[in-house]
Amino acid sequence: MTRFNQPLGGNEMPRFGGPATMMRLPAAGTAEGLDVAFVGVPMDHGTSNRSGTRLGPRQIRDESRMLRPYNMATGAAPFDHLQVADLGDVPINTFDLKKTVDIITSFYREVLSHGTIPLTLGGDHTLTWPILRAVKERHGPVALIHIDAHADINEAMFGETVAHGCPFRRAWEDGCLINDKVFQIGLRGTGYAPEDFDWARDQGWTVVQAEECWGKSLAGLMQIVRDRIGGAKVYVSYDIDSLDPAFAPGTGTVEPGGLSTWQALEIIRGCVGLNIVGGDVVEISPPYDPSGNTALIGANLLYEMLCVLPRVPISPARLSGLAF
């Protein structure tokens, strides 16, 4: 395979220079010939609290300049096996959220038509619904691994059915999901009624609240997830507010008691072997992320998704073997 898609290395160009693309990869105008495409969706008009996620894709790309092509933990070298590029941003309508969701579906319909796997830099969580509509057109209903502090299954917010608290209710209504293969991990915080989480359970979804994850490795959970999903096609949606605000303060709806960064890595790495057809990282809000660390974590999670895609061999690096 011709490796035209290697990230620009830090020894070739200082990390503060070079192209402002994801991992300083080549930019592409179309998904034709690509196995994987990074896509930005710079929107925040679906948010209900603090805004700023429209700046998320740009900040994720900026912080991704620290990433290198080889995964030292899993042995994955995704750019040796996949053609990858950055397609830039979806040209959303910043004044009309309902038009925006149709623009997103149309954009991803084109990407998916080339057999390309999209990995999305968000943007608020509204965007996952229109992406799932396009995914259904291409692949049919899919399994879902949704990591989040919130269930995002509201019937409406302020009377509106399109918002970042509603995407998975809309996806369910549109028949985008395989109900017995939907997993929501990390839900927590206060609510209005038990139905805030129980509606999902009533549909046959598996809800793993954050309290069940405290102080634990999540490797065992991900074995259960893999066993239940099996060979079904799966979409992975990672809301950065699933992490405790001590790790990721740069988001609009923070909740205490969240996941750790190492648990986040366990979840994504635990998707290895699944037939992933798309993924996203959403709700990074740079105005509340002065250090850039939240965006850096988001960039790393997107890279980890790339490392567990089909056709990327995994050969975990040898650890010391010491018992401590």
Side-chain angles (χ1 to χ4, degrees):
M1 176 182 292
T2 302
R3 300 194 306 167
F4 68 81
N5 63 320
Q6 291 289 314
L8 180 61
N11 293 323
E12 301 170 66
M13 169 67 71
R15 297 199 177 278
F16 45 81
T21 56
M22 181 66 181
M23 293 185 69
R24 304 198 298 180
L25 284 162
T30 173
E32 184 176 3
L34 297 179
D35 299 305
V36 184
F38 287 107
V39 182
V41 184
M43 61 181 291
D44 60 10
H45 41 336
T47 57
S48 58
N49 190 33
R50 304 191 304 198
S51 61
T53 55
R54 67 177 60 188
L55 305 175
R58 182 168 297 219
Q59 189 68 22
I60 293 169
R61 288 185 175 106
D62 188 32
E63 298 299 336
S64 75
R65 69 189 188 275
M66 282 302 300
L67 291 167
R68 302 165 185 87
Y70 180 75
N71 192 316
M72 299 298 291
T74 69
F79 302 103
D80 289 350
H81 303 277
L82 301 171
Q83 298 285 13
V84 189
D86 190 327
L87 291 185
D89 292 336
V90 177
I92 60 100
N93 184 327
T94 193
F95 302 111
D96 193 319
L97 181 57
K98 292 175 181 176
K99 287 183 179 177
T100 288
V101 297
D102 289 336
I103 292 169
I104 294 170
T105 296
S106 179
F107 189 99
Y108 280 80
R109 183 182 294 122
E110 167 63 16
V111 172
L112 290 160
S113 73
H114 297 285
T116 305
I117 297 173
L119 295 178
T120 300
L121 295 65
D124 75 66
H125 220 156
T126 311
L127 64 86
T128 305
W129 167 47
I131 294 174
L132 285 171
R133 292 194 305 189
V135 167
K136 181 194 173 188
E137 291 178 12
R138 176 75 182 184
H139 297 292
V142 294
L144 174 71
I145 301 173
H146 168 212
I147 310 97
D148 203 327
H150 312 97
D152 292 352
I153 53 171
N154 292 355
E155 173 58 34
M157 300 185 77
F158 299 97
E160 296 291 338
T161 58
V162 181
H164 76 158
C166 307
F168 299 106
R169 176 72 73 103
R170 303 287 86 80
W172 171 80
E173 290 173 346
D174 285 343
C176 298
L177 305 175
I178 306 172
N179 282 330
D180 64 350
K181 299 181 187 298
V182 175
F183 294 83
Q184 295 188 303
I185 302 171
L187 307 192
R188 64 188 188 277
T190 55
Y192 294 103
E195 290 74 22
D196 287 3
F197 294 169
D198 287 347
W199 181 91
R201 294 182 171 109
D202 291 341
Q203 312 316 312
W205 304 2
T206 300
V207 175
V208 182
Q209 292 182 219
E211 288 80 0
E212 300 175 71
C213 303
W214 288 352
K216 297 178 184 177
S217 166
L218 299 186
L221 169 63
M222 293 312 296
Q223 180 64 61
I224 294 170
V225 171
R226 290 195 303 273
D227 289 345
R228 293 190 186 175
I229 290 178
K233 294 176 179 179
V234 58
Y235 188 90
V236 181
S237 184
Y238 202 104
D239 188 324
I240 207 70
D241 70 27
S242 65
L243 295 175
D244 190 87
F247 298 99
T251 190
T253 47
V254 295
E255 302 281 0
L259 304 177
S260 67
T261 52
W262 46 92
Q263 287 175 317
L265 293 173
E266 285 184 314
I267 290 170
I268 302 303
R269 292 174 183 174
C271 294
V272 66
L274 293 175
N275 189 5
I276 298 171
V277 296
D280 62 53
V281 173
V282 300
E283 297 288 352
I284 292 170
S285 182
Y288 299 94
D289 187 32
S291 69
N293 286 353
T294 307
L296 178 62
I297 293 167
N300 274 269
L301 294 178
L302 285 160
Y303 169 73
E304 293 285 344
M305 289 183 189
L306 183 66
C307 288
V308 295
L309 292 181
R311 295 172 45 199
V312 178
I314 297 292
S315 178
R318 283 179 289 180
L319 303 181
S320 67
L322 295 176
F324 62 93

